[in-house]
Amino acid sequence: MQQNKKKVPEDYMRQALELAKQGEGKVSPNPMVGCVVVKDERVIATGFHEKYGGFHAERNALLNCTEDPQGAELYVNLEPCCHYGKTPPCTEIIIEKKIKKVYVGCLDSNPKVAGQGIQILREHGISVETGILEEECRALNEVFFYYMEHKQPFVAMKYAMTLDGKIACETGDSKWVTGEEARAYVQCLRNRYRGIMAGIGTILEDDPMLNCRMEGGRNPARIICDSKLRIPLDSQVVKTASQIETIVAFHPKEAERYRANAGAETFEEVKRKLEQQGIILLEIPFKQPEDMEQPVNIAQSSENFQRLDLSRLLQKLAERGIDSILLEGGGTLNASALQERLIQRVYAFVAPKLVAGAKAKSPVEGSGILFMRDAVTLQDIEVMRFGEDLCMMGRVRR
Ligand SMILES: NC(=O)c1ccc[n+]([C@@H]2O[C@H](COP(=O)([O-])OP(=O)(O)OC[C@H]3O[C@@H](n4cnc5c(N)ncnc54)[C@H](OP(=O)(O)O)[C@@H]3O)[C@@H](O)[C@H]2O)c1
């Protein structure tokens, strides 16, 4: 008879990673963490961080053991915390339950933990082994690590284009580029990211809802870049702003000037009406030429300096606890974000369709680069298929 193969630490860590994923969309800005407790080669408990503010994975697992965990081994994809936050430190319960050995996927970059979690465990005679499936563990929480290390939201640009590189027809019609399966996956992405960002061009053209329609999903905060406050009061996003967090980034002087020229309602009136609907208005300055990092990949043009400073906007969003953003363009906003080097990940959906038209919009517009050698490139590429559509995704190479 064939013997069951003895499990190695990587097997249990894989299980911890799978458990961690169940927290997707529910724990941010916390990381997704899963935990497996093993005694005499038997799993006696599992747990994961289920919701923001709730118990961490280790505590959930250790309170859920089918037998006394004394002398057991514990597998967790992120270093156990050692500080009092919304819940007591995980190191405390690991020590209290007399765990013999802890296997850690990767260290925490939160300065309140950062190596101190494992140090405390070792000081209490618990053996600790780190770096089990480290790459996978860091990849699962790429958003958390980026946000912790840069104090800025992790931005993923997502677009759907035809085989000839268009995100809409010349008329602006864009419903739909991809099929149902690809669009269902986009709903999963919206559940995963804490915010969704679009330009006013897209709002005026498509009047989208920008919500998450995945079953049991969570609506991301909607962020609209609209210097002149052109957003219509009867647009879907404004009409639903009392139910879904909606932020409009604008430039007060530009909005005032535009309103004065338009001769309709004054800027103050529009501002008051938007706020009454529940819109959060964020004043953002324009990008200044001297702020541009050198050298830039995308050719600079004066046109780019009459745009909201997206880095400043991201800082303000980070202060509001927004750790990640799904950027759903269009091409004008996408180009600015790329030029400001704010994009960390790309999801490019490609549909087997051709629409042609020199004036039909493409995913990233702006001035573009002059030489192919300066192209922004991706790494860690994955290709997924959704019905007849493809999605190529990867991280922006730095
Ligand atoms: N297939 C897809 O995946 C997809 C996704 C999204 C959109 N679309 C299509 O894209 C089209 C709209 O694209 P678009 O390029 O015209 O509009 P957009 O990128 O959605 O919006 C551009 C506008 O946003 C405002 N803005 C504010 N801050 C900005 C900044 N820092 N950088 C750039 N823009 C900033 C500007 O207007 P102000 O100066 O007035 O502020 C700008 O004109 C629509 O046809 C839509 O259907 C397709």
Side-chain angles (χ1 to χ4, degrees):
M1 212 172 77
Q2 202 185 355
Q3 290 264 307
N4 274 348
K5 207 172 135 234
K6 189 174 181 302
K7 288 201 173 176
V8 294
E10 285 74 11
D11 295 319
Y12 293 119
M13 193 58 77
R14 226 164 261 124
Q15 190 176 348
L17 282 169
E18 285 309 310
L19 286 158
K21 285 178 194 164
Q22 294 183 51
E24 189 172 281
K26 301 183 187 87
V27 298
S28 86
N30 279 351
M32 290 175 269
V33 186
C35 176
V36 178
V37 184
V38 178
K39 194 169 179 182
D40 304 328
E41 294 178 28
R42 285 170 297 109
V43 173
I44 61 162
T46 62
F48 66 98
H49 184 31
E50 296 174 16
K51 63 169 196 274
Y52 179 69
F55 281 158
H56 293 180
E58 299 91 317
R59 190 166 292 271
N60 275 334
L62 288 170
L63 293 176
N64 196 19
C65 291
T66 51
E67 58 187 89
D68 184 1
Q70 180 169 356
E73 294 174 338
L74 182 144
Y75 296 80
V76 62
N77 56 300
L78 186 72
E79 177 181 8
C81 72
C82 52
H83 63 293
Y84 279 88
K86 293 201 182 310
T87 58
C90 291
T91 45
E92 220 171 72
I93 193 165
I94 294 173
I95 295 162
E96 183 192 309
K97 296 283 180 185
K98 300 191 167 56
I99 296 298
K100 186 177 72 182
K101 181 161 185 176
V102 175
Y103 292 88
V104 175
C106 57
L107 297 190
D108 195 340
S109 23
N110 181 348
K112 290 180 186 153
V113 187
Q116 297 166 69
I118 57 171
Q119 190 187 330
I120 289 174
L121 293 177
R122 282 181 178 143
E123 281 167 8
H124 283 80
I126 298 170
S127 158
V128 181
E129 197 173 320
T130 59
I132 318 292
L133 297 185
E134 186 167 7
E135 231 173 89
E136 287 91 326
C137 292
R138 274 197 71 87
L140 177 75
N141 281 309
E142 63 179 358
V143 161
F144 168 78
F145 287 114
Y146 186 85
Y147 183 59
M148 264 300 153
E149 288 159 19
H150 297 86
K151 310 282 175 246
Q152 261 206 3
F154 181 98
V155 179
M157 173 169 70
K158 169 260 148 192
Y159 54 80
M161 66 175 189
T162 57
L163 210 47
D164 52 343
K166 311 293 185 190
I167 58 168
C169 300
E170 277 200 359
T171 56
D173 182 51
S174 63
K175 289 196 177 78
W176 297 104
V177 176
T178 48
E180 263 176 40
E181 285 147 288
R183 299 205 314 272
Y185 186 68
V186 172
Q187 298 303 317
C188 301
L189 292 179
R190 287 183 178 182
N191 175 54
R192 198 178 296 169
Y193 286 83
R194 176 65 181 77
I196 182 172
M197 187 183 280
I200 185 64
T202 299
I203 303 299
L204 295 175
E205 187 66 51
D206 299 349
D207 191 19
M209 184 72 159
L210 299 178
N211 62 346
C212 174
R213 296 184 283 278
M214 185 185 107
E215 214 186 307
R218 173 189 68 165
N219 284 319
R222 302 175 296 193
I223 303 130
I224 315 300
C225 296
D226 176 18
S227 330
K228 309 182 188 80
L229 277 191
R230 288 187 285 157
I231 193 162
L233 285 165
D234 61 352
S235 60
Q236 302 254 40
V237 282
V238 175
K239 282 196 294 190
T240 53
S242 59
Q243 295 124 55
I244 305 173
E245 185 180 358
T246 308
I247 297 166
V248 175
F250 76 110
H251 186 286
K253 285 223 168 72
E254 189 68 6
E256 208 169 342
R257 191 164 36 234
Y258 173 78
R259 285 284 156 190
N261 289 342
E265 282 173 306
T266 66
F267 159 64
E268 289 300 336
E269 277 166 352
V270 173
K271 212 174 135 193
R272 186 176 47 79
K273 283 186 181 170
L274 288 171
E275 281 171 341
Q276 262 172 5
Q277 295 280 329
I279 297 273
I280 300 158
L281 291 171
L282 286 188
E283 294 187 12
I284 303 293
F286 278 146
K287 186 93 192 149
Q288 297 301 313
E290 60 271 22
D291 293 342
M292 299 300 292
E293 216 180 290
Q294 294 294 337
V296 287
N297 273 346
I298 307 284
Q300 297 181 14
S301 78
S302 57
E303 157 214 6
N304 295 111
F305 303 135
Q306 287 309 306
R307 299 292 193 204
L308 296 179
D309 183 337
L310 298 180
S311 309
R312 292 288 290 278
L313 171 58
L314 289 194
Q315 276 164 20
K316 289 204 172 187
L317 296 173
E319 286 160 17
R320 303 181 72 87
I322 296 183
D323 63 348
S324 55
I325 289 170
L326 190 63
L327 173 65
E328 295 203 28
T332 312
L333 184 63
N334 287 350
S336 296
L338 191 71
Q339 183 176 19
E340 286 194 46
R341 297 165 182 264
L342 301 174
I343 298 172
Q344 312 306 320
R345 172 169 280 282
V346 176
Y347 296 93
F349 290 85
V350 185
K353 289 177 185 168
L354 303 159
V355 298
K359 292 199 187 103
K361 293 218 148 253
S362 58
V364 190
E365 302 203 321
S367 327
I369 53 163
L370 303 178
F371 302 103
M372 194 53 84
R373 61 167 186 258
D374 296 329
V376 173
T377 57
L378 302 186
Q379 61 186 37
D380 305 329
I381 305 295
E382 283 174 72
V383 180
M384 286 170 80
R385 192 172 167 156
F386 299 97
E388 293 191 327
D389 305 318
L390 294 181
C391 178
M392 184 186 271
M393 56 191 98
R395 280 181 72 101
V396 172
R397 199 189 298 273
R398 296 290 170 208

